[in-house]
Amino acid sequence: NAGVTQTPKFRVLKTGQSMTLLCAQDMNHEYMYWYRQDPGMGLRLIHYSVGEGTTAKGEVPDGYNVSRLKKQNFLLGLESAAPSQTSVYFCASSYGLAGPWLSNNEQFFGPGTRLTVL
Amino acid sequence: TQLLEQSPQFLSIQEGENLTVYCNSSSVFSSLQWYRQEPGEGPVLLVTVVTGGEVKKLKRLTFQFGDARKDSSLHITAAQTGDTGLYLCAGAGGTSYGKLTFGQGTILTVHP
């Protein structure tokens, strides 16, 4: 099993350009997430999905859109990139939601995409 | 908005030393997770704690969940160079039901 994969690994964009980040998981997980990681700020949730065909906003959704047309894929789009979107983007998936239980709530992360917007 | 404050942000120690990383909040969490992240990779789960006062041990790592479920700590005994990495705590519950709120992370460097 590959787990969670992300493409591309690196990308440089100019301000105003658009791009799509692809996340794929082969664990048949219902839940998928997109985070961004910036120095000193941990991981911040951008958007998430609780199942095929569903998406919801996270903590920092502005400037991003997502789609989950297939259960195994979660796409993150930037329509008009800005320098403030320079970051490392992580996709994650989980079998269950985080909560007061010990099992099925582990989030499995991809290796990340390093995006620079000039 | 629920916040998790981790301290210290940076920790640089010699091999063999002990260390503790703290994760504090004013909010109550239903569970708390600790992840470890190596450079160029995504975070990997170390442990989940769900009961106030709970203590879990993973070899040289000891995790504690505060009685009020607002704070947690990670203690490493006799650190090794392989422990080097970014440690992240993440809380679940409250207003962020089903989602994780991450602390800002602690960068640990263990020197030989």
Side-chain angles (χ1 to χ4, degrees):
Chain A
N1 288 351
V4 179
T5 57
Q6 292 183 233
T7 52
K9 288 191 187 312
F10 304 92
R11 187 72 187 267
V12 178
L13 290 178
K14 294 182 180 177
T15 298
Q17 287 185 318
S18 63
M19 78 162 294
T20 301
L21 282 68
L22 172 64
C23 174
Q25 52 95 4
D26 61 3
M27 295 173 282
N28 201 34
H29 286 168
E30 286 294 335
Y31 306 98
M32 296 187 75
Y33 316 83
W34 275 107
Y35 293 93
R36 61 177 289 172
Q37 186 174 41
D38 302 292
M41 300 189 75
L43 288 160
R44 292 183 292 168
L45 184 64
I46 304 171
H47 286 281
Y48 64 102
S49 169
V50 298
E52 181 179 315
T54 74
T55 63
K57 294 180 180 179
E59 183 186 350
V60 289
D62 294 342
Y64 305 95
N65 57 75
V66 288
S67 65
R68 188 142 178 229
L69 299 178
K70 293 183 178 180
K71 186 176 183 178
Q72 63 268 32
N73 296 335
F74 196 26
L75 278 63
L76 177 71
L78 286 74
E79 289 187 348
S80 179
S84 61
Q85 294 178 303
T86 293
S87 188
V88 182
Y89 291 86
F90 286 98
C91 175
S93 70
S94 66
Y95 182 79
L97 286 172
W101 35 80
L102 284 174
S103 61
N104 298 330
N105 62 3
E106 177 179 0
Q107 291 192 10
F108 293 83
F109 286 82
T113 295
R114 185 173 293 275
L115 175 66
T116 302
V117 183
L118 302 175
Chain B
T1 303
Q2 294 180 291
L3 291 173
L4 272 171
E5 296 285 338
Q6 270 186 253
S7 62
Q9 246 188 306
F10 302 94
L11 203 47
S12 180
I13 62 172
Q14 295 297 127
E15 202 168 28
E17 291 183 2
N18 301 331
L19 66 111
T20 303
V21 177
Y22 299 94
C23 180
N24 295 300
S25 176
S26 58
S27 303
V28 175
F29 290 96
S30 59
S31 66
L32 200 131
Q33 298 181 331
W34 285 91
Y35 287 80
R36 179 166 168 264
Q37 183 180 11
E38 298 198 28
E41 298 181 10
V44 176
L45 180 68
L46 294 172
V47 77
T48 301
V49 285
V50 299
T51 305
E54 182 177 2
V55 176
K56 277 193 172 178
K57 290 194 174 184
L58 198 66
K59 295 184 181 178
R60 294 176 294 102
L61 278 62
T62 301
F63 304 86
Q64 186 162 7
F65 201 12
D67 290 340
R69 289 185 286 125
K70 292 183 179 182
D71 56 271
S72 181
S73 64
L74 158 60
H75 182 79
I76 301 179
T77 304
Q80 300 176 355
T81 55
D83 296 326
T84 293
L86 173 67
Y87 290 82
L88 294 156
C89 64
T95 56
S96 62
Y97 177 76
K99 305 184 291 292
L100 290 175
T101 298
F102 281 85
Q104 68 266 56
T106 295
I107 297 175
L108 171 64
T109 305
V110 182
H111 301 280

